[in-house]
Amino acid sequence: MKDSLNKKGLKATPQRMEIIKYLNSTKSHPSAEEVYVYIKDKFPTVSFATVYNTLQTLKNTGDLKELSIDPDRKRFDRDLTPHNHFFCKICKKIYDIPNINEKVNIDALNDHLVEDYSIYYTGICKDCKKMNKEE
Amino acid sequence: MKDSLNKKGLKATPQRMEIIKYLNSTKSHPSAEEVYVYIKDKFPTVSFATVYNTLQTLKNTGDLKELSIDPDRKRFDRDLTPHNHFFCKICKKIYDIPNINEKVNIDALNDHLVEDYSIYYTGICKDCKKMNKEE
DNA sequence: ATAATTGCAAAAGCTTTGCACGGAA
DNA sequence: TTCCGTGCAAAGCTTTTGCAATTAT
């Protein structure tokens, strides 16, 4: 991990390493704050700026994707393979949805340069559905 | 339009009517500010609060969709028919992309309640591509 | 009359930025 | 040593909220 950072001209600081380790380990599609809370536990002096800087840097090197499926905050995803997302409007969880090589409307897009695409599903996730019933 | 508002228990105030008329007329997928600027021209005393309130109200009655494809701000769409969107990261324009009854991965979603979905494409639109070349 | 809506100002929440200090290369 | 990255504080934007005055029904 250190080498791969250095190769890109980035310094492998302990904070940065820890953030990357966290992003690698979680499937929660964390927000900047979620990352901050986690890192703060290991580096009590860490600041929001460092978290935002690091997320920005990783986004720029293409090692991290920024999701805008959550209307209230940016969410991040280290899984760079093509897949889709379901967003629960109750608990705000983001679920990965495998893609099934969807047909894409190439004709309508011919003139635009498409760098990325995915299906955004929204609704109520299975856990929240269950809770609503129980109440 | 007045009747359709009253039927829902909503008042047909001049500000509200103008906002709806604007939303009906534009294909720009406006942000709250874009709506505000337009309305301000016709009702110089109008406030941001009114715009946000109205957008919120229309969203709640299901007459307006909030898009989260733009990472920097909420965008709105009065076109409630199924279609997809392309977001240009340079000029921030949102283009409508017709849908072509995409196959959806129902199996992976079986347990979630899907209320809505669409394909979000991002990249560089044809106009911005052209400008980049010319420079 | 009464209940909803407006407009103002203030506040809240997320994200970015400037800058001096410290640390990795 | 050099320059990138950190941490702090402040600021910037978008969006929300409380409340008194106004207006549609």
Side-chain angles (χ1 to χ4, degrees), chain B residues 32-33 36 46-53:
Chain B
E33 193 190 350
Y36 173 73
V46 87
S47 71
F48 255 108
T50 296
V51 172
Y52 274 104
N53 284 340

Side-chain angles (χ1 to χ4, degrees), chain B residues 27-127:
Chain B
K27 295 196 169 178
S28 71
H29 309 82
S31 63
E33 193 190 350
E34 189 179 326
V35 174
Y36 173 73
V37 167
Y38 183 87
I39 302 305
K40 186 85 178 171
D41 191 52
K42 312 219 162 186
F43 290 86
T45 65
V46 87
S47 71
F48 255 108
T50 296
V51 172
Y52 274 104
N53 284 340
T54 301
L55 294 174
Q56 195 66 39
T57 301
L58 294 174
K59 211 176 74 181
N60 290 341
T61 57
D63 294 306
L64 185 65
K65 264 194 192 169
E66 184 184 292
L67 307 178
S68 13
I69 196 172
D70 181 340
D72 292 328
R73 53 185 55 72
K74 293 174 180 174
R75 306 279 291 261
F76 297 89
D77 193 355
R78 270 234 71 185
D79 181 354
L80 304 173
T81 64
H83 63 287
N84 303 312
H85 293 109
F86 175 90
F87 176 71
C88 175
K89 67 181 189 182
I90 307 285
C91 66
K92 316 296 183 192
K93 270 204 208 83
I94 295 174
Y95 295 77
D96 285 325
I97 306 296
N99 77 343
I100 43 160
N101 60 340
E102 297 84 14
K103 265 194 305 178
V104 165
N105 196 343
I106 296 294
D107 286 347
L109 288 160
N110 252 345
D111 295 332
H112 302 311
L113 173 63
V114 176
E115 296 180 341
D116 195 23
Y117 72 90
S118 79
I119 305 184
Y120 280 14
Y121 304 89
T122 58
I124 301 180
C125 79
K126 56 181 199 300
D127 293 348

Side-chain angles (χ1 to χ4, degrees), chain A residues 27 86-98 121-135, chain B residues 106-115:
Chain A
K27 296 197 168 176
F86 174 91
F87 175 71
C88 175
K89 66 180 191 184
I90 307 284
C91 67
K92 317 296 184 192
K93 270 203 207 87
I94 295 174
Y95 294 78
D96 285 326
I97 307 295
Y121 303 89
T122 58
I124 301 179
C125 77
K126 56 180 200 296
D127 293 348
C128 290
K129 246 169 53 187
K130 209 189 299 176
M131 285 201 226
N132 277 342
K133 274 189 201 141
E134 285 164 2
E135 272 160 27
Chain B
I106 296 294
D107 286 347
L109 288 160
N110 252 345
D111 295 332
H112 302 311
L113 173 63
V114 176
E115 296 180 341

Side-chain angles (χ1 to χ4, degrees), chain A residues 6 11-12 49 52 73-74:
Chain A
N6 288 343
K11 289 186 180 172
Y52 275 105
R73 53 184 58 71
K74 292 174 180 172

Side-chain angles (χ1 to χ4, degrees), chain A residues 41-100:
Chain A
D41 191 52
K42 313 216 163 186
F43 290 85
T45 65
V46 87
S47 71
F48 255 108
T50 297
V51 171
Y52 275 105
N53 284 341
T54 301
L55 295 174
Q56 195 67 39
T57 300
L58 294 174
K59 211 176 75 183
N60 290 341
T61 57
D63 293 307
L64 186 65
K65 264 194 191 167
E66 184 184 290
L67 307 178
S68 19
I69 194 170
D70 181 340
D72 293 329
R73 53 184 58 71
K74 292 174 180 172
R75 305 280 290 260
F76 297 90
D77 194 354
R78 270 234 71 185
D79 182 354
L80 304 173
T81 64
H83 64 286
N84 302 312
H85 292 109
F86 174 91
F87 175 71
C88 175
K89 66 180 191 184
I90 307 284
C91 67
K92 317 296 184 192
K93 270 203 207 87
I94 295 174
Y95 294 78
D96 285 326
I97 307 295
N99 77 343
I100 42 162

Side-chain angles (χ1 to χ4, degrees), chain A residues 96-130:
Chain A
D96 285 326
I97 307 295
N99 77 343
I100 42 162
N101 60 343
E102 298 84 14
K103 264 193 306 180
V104 165
N105 196 344
I106 296 294
D107 286 347
L109 288 161
N110 252 345
D111 296 330
H112 302 311
L113 171 62
V114 176
E115 296 180 342
D116 195 22
Y117 71 90
S118 80
I119 306 184
Y120 279 15
Y121 303 89
T122 58
I124 301 179
C125 77
K126 56 180 200 296
D127 293 348
C128 290
K129 246 169 53 187
K130 209 189 299 176

